[in-house]
């Protein structure tokens, strides 16, 4: 029979690898909880219109990468990112009524039909955060600084912040006109995609990797020169706060991100270039002061970021100990299985990590399994010993063995676990 395989670009995470995920997720949660953020969990499926309205119709994500489908009368999409859903929830639950500043974080799968490669998948996971209600640059600086600490905690080398400002809506509009004016005369030299973008979303041309586009944009006016006084003051403020925090950054005036909702602050963090390639972004984020209003809420500013969890795991060097149990209960013969199951349950209740091997295997093979699991103790449950109310407790480090009454089993096991693991007999 033909085996069924996972969907291309959607990966299984087996337990040894999942331990690395848990470690990075735990470090992220700890970072965010210490900053006063609370976890938000929003649906994986949202109305398609939510993403079209926020991310923007003429973006790659909305044009090419969404998993959208019709179900009965609803147009639905598997969420390609978390910001739009979080903002929808913020508006839907009128959260602004109960708190002036809201700090949320999230973790979970996102879906984009991209061409799969290392660090780029069709189902991937993000850890991310959003803050609503604080327009000032100190908020942006604190977020970027916290991210750098988090990356340090999980051992990402050479993390580097790229910082830009895309200005407010007026700045965007005036820059867009300047860009179109500069690129129209050379439009025929642009890639096909960018020729189309010239009328739909010209800012995206700045982000193109195509060499024809790279050549054409080399001499175009820079967005920086179009920033309003208020935008510039915000950006300068952000830089001052980052300097005060001692967080290094590089200003990149050509930074444009792939989502249309951004206003003012944009940032990306790159790192682990040797493992991920030079262009690979670990974290992307920025301000999106207009989204809450666009979704029918009040005029509440917002900023956030998201990091690809798979990329963080590739980049980080957290050491993860293999999964292990403390003890293995090894029933010898069918008649010992029920008693072994009860012992396993009682040991776990006493705090012992414990597996029962009820396959009906030989003692030798069960002891081999106990060693492979890294167990310190094996409890051999023989039918004859059981009839006398006893079991054999083997210390696999010292190779000693004692016969123990079943009602003393938990204390015998915990005492063994508490002894240093020497190869000498402990008795
Ligand atoms: P983004 O730049 O589209 O921003 O994605 C953020 C991060 O998610 C990327 O830097 C990357 O690490 C990871 N990522 C994106 N696509 C993939 C993929 N196909 N495979 C693996 N990893 C991927 C956002 O999603 C915004 N919602 C960030 C944000 C939050 N802005 C404001 N608040």
């Amino acid at each position: 029979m033909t085996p069924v395989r996972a969907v291309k670009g959607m990966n299984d995470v087996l337990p040894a690898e999942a331990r690395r995920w848990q470690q990075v997720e735990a470090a992220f949660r700890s970072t965010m909880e210490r900053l006063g953020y609370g976890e938000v969990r929003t649906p994986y499926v949202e109305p398609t219109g939510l993403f079209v309205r926020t991310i923007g119709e003429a973006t790659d994500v909305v044009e090419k990468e969404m998993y959208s489908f019709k179900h009965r009368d609803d147009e639905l999409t598997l969420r390609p990112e978390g910001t739009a859903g979080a903002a929808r929830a913020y508006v839907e639950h009128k959260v602004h009524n109960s708190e002036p500043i809201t700090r949320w974080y999230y973790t979970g799968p996102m879906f984009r039909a991209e061409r799969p490669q290392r660090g780029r998948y069709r189902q991937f996971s993000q850890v991310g955060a959003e803050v609503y209600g604080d327009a000032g640059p100190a908020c942006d600086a604190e977020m970027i600084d916290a991210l750098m600490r988090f990356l340090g905690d999980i051992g990402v080398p050479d993390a580097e912040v790229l910082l830009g400002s895309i200005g407010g809506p007026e700045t965007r509009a005036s820059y867009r006109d300047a860009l179109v004016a500069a690129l129209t005369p050379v439009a025929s030299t642009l890639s096909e995609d960018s020729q189309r973008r010239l009328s739909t979303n010209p800012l995206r041309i700045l982000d193109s990797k195509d060499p024809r586009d790279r050549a054409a944009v080399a001499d175009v006016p820079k967005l920086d020169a179009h920033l309003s006084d208020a935008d510039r003051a915000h950006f300068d403020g952000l830089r001052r706060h980052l300097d005060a925090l001692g967080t290094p950054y590089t200003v990149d005036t050509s930074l444009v991100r792939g989502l249309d909702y951004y206003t003012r602050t944009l940032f990306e963090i790159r790192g682990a270039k040797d493992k991920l390639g030079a262009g690979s972004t670990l974290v992307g984020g920025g301000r999106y002061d207009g989204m809450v209003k666009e979704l029918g809420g009040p005029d509440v500013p917002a900023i956030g970021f998201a990091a690809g969890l798979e990329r963080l795991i590739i980049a980080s060097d957290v050491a993860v100990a293999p999964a292990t149990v403390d003890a293995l209960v090894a029933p010898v013969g069918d008649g010992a299985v029920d008693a072994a199951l009860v012992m396993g349950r009682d040991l776990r209740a006493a705090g012992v990590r414990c597996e029962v091997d009820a396959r009906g295997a030989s003692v030798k093979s069960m002891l081999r399994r106990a060693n492979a699991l890294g167990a310190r103790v094996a409890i051999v449950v023989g039918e004859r010993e059981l009839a006398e109310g006893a079991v054999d407790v083997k210390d696999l480090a010292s190779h000693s063995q004692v016969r123990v009454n079943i009602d003393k089993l938990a204390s015998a096991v915990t005492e063994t676990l508490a002894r240093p693991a020497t190869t000498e007999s402990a008795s």
Side-chain angles (χ1 to χ4, degrees):
M1 235 190 291
T2 327
V4 179
R5 301 186 65 91
V7 176
K8 196 170 166 213
M10 303 195 179
N11 301 310
D12 301 311
V13 181
L14 302 186
E17 179 68 5
R19 285 172 73 80
R20 292 176 57 81
W21 284 58
Q22 288 167 350
Q23 194 124 333
V24 172
E25 281 166 348
F28 178 71
R29 279 174 196 282
S30 153
T31 302
M32 301 320 292
E33 299 273 351
R34 274 179 289 152
L35 283 156
Y37 287 59
E39 181 178 2
V40 64
R41 299 188 184 207
T42 61
Y44 296 178
V45 177
E46 296 275 2
T48 301
L50 172 68
F51 302 115
V52 177
R53 264 164 77 178
T54 53
I55 296 173
E57 206 152 3
T59 56
D60 283 354
V61 172
V62 169
E63 267 183 357
K64 308 181 197 162
E65 296 169 2
M66 294 205 306
Y67 286 98
S68 298
F69 56 98
K70 194 170 162 89
H71 183 255
R72 308 224 165 99
D73 291 333
D74 298 325
E75 298 288 347
L76 304 173
T77 293
L78 296 186
R79 63 181 187 186
E81 55 108 55
T83 308
R88 181 209 37 76
Y90 177 86
V91 172
E92 189 164 332
H93 298 279
K94 299 189 171 56
V95 180
H96 68 279
N97 280 339
S98 53
E99 48 191 38
I101 299 183
T102 298
R103 301 180 201 275
W104 282 353
Y105 75 88
Y106 51 88
T107 72
M110 309 291 163
F111 303 85
R112 296 185 195 175
E114 296 197 73
R115 201 160 52 79
Q117 60 191 66
R118 183 168 173 76
R120 185 174 306 262
Y121 312 102
R122 292 183 170 169
Q123 177 179 320
F124 59 100
S125 278
Q126 284 185 339
V127 294
E130 317 290 347
V131 175
Y132 308 92
D134 187 349
C139 174
D140 312 21
E142 186 179 57
M143 182 175 273
I144 293 169
D145 177 64
L147 270 164
M148 290 301 274
R149 308 277 133 186
F150 162 64
L151 294 174
D153 288 348
I154 61 167
V156 174
D158 63 22
E160 192 189 6
V161 177
L162 299 180
L163 198 63
S165 174
I166 197 164
E170 303 78 40
T171 300
R172 286 270 280 272
S174 94
Y175 183 59
R176 189 188 152 108
D177 292 347
L179 198 57
V180 172
L183 287 174
T184 302
V186 294
S188 60
T189 70
L190 296 172
S191 69
E192 296 69 34
D193 256 359
S194 289
Q195 291 192 20
R196 196 170 42 81
R197 288 189 187 121
L198 198 51
S199 54
T200 58
N201 196 352
L203 261 66
R204 294 293 301 152
I205 301 174
L206 299 175
D207 204 23
S208 166
K209 307 271 179 309
D210 190 297
R212 290 169 289 177
D213 300 333
R214 300 239 50 86
V217 301
D219 306 321
V220 296
K222 296 279 177 276
L223 187 142
D224 199 40
H226 286 255
L227 288 181
S228 70
D229 290 345
D231 292 338
R232 186 166 300 286
H234 191 278
F235 192 54
D236 290 345
L238 167 57
R239 296 181 57 176
R240 271 199 313 278
H241 292 304
L242 284 173
D243 291 341
L245 287 163
T247 301
Y249 56 87
T250 305
V251 173
D252 180 350
T253 50
S254 63
L255 198 62
V256 269
R257 308 227 331 100
L259 312 161
D260 273 358
Y261 49 63
Y262 290 113
T263 54
R264 294 196 165 159
T265 308
L266 296 180
F267 62 90
E268 289 189 350
I269 305 181
R270 307 209 172 140
K273 293 187 180 134
D274 54 330
K275 296 185 192 151
L276 280 162
S280 190
T281 309
L282 289 172
V283 186
R287 234 170 218 292
Y288 50 99
D289 291 341
M291 191 191 292
V292 170
K293 189 152 185 224
E294 164 65 31
L295 292 176
D299 195 2
V300 170
I303 180 168
F305 70 84
L309 197 47
E310 290 84 351
R311 292 188 194 180
L312 291 179
I313 287 159
I314 294 171
S316 92
D317 62 8
V318 281
V320 177
T324 148
V325 295
D326 301 314
L328 182 95
V329 185
V332 188
D334 273 358
V337 169
D338 287 344
L341 292 174
V342 174
M343 284 176 219
R345 187 178 64 193
D346 290 349
L347 284 169
R348 286 178 210 115
V352 177
R353 293 173 302 170
C354 163
E355 191 176 298
V356 178
D357 188 343
R359 292 173 296 162
S362 68
V363 174
K364 193 169 160 207
S365 110
M366 289 192 282
L367 290 179
R368 210 181 306 125
R369 167 128 186 98
N371 279 312
L373 286 170
R376 172 77 188 272
V377 176
I379 297 123
V380 180
V381 189
E383 291 176 10
R384 203 158 11 95
E385 293 76 11
L386 206 51
E388 291 161 16
V391 289
D392 289 336
V393 175
K394 281 178 179 295
D395 180 344
L396 298 173
S398 68
H399 303 294
S400 61
Q401 174 171 319
V402 283
R403 186 151 297 175
V404 173
N405 271 342
I406 293 172
D407 56 358
K408 300 272 171 9
L409 177 62
S411 56
V413 170
T414 45
E415 274 161 29
T416 309
L417 291 173
R419 279 204 297 268
T422 60
T423 48
E424 300 286 302
S425 171
S427 53

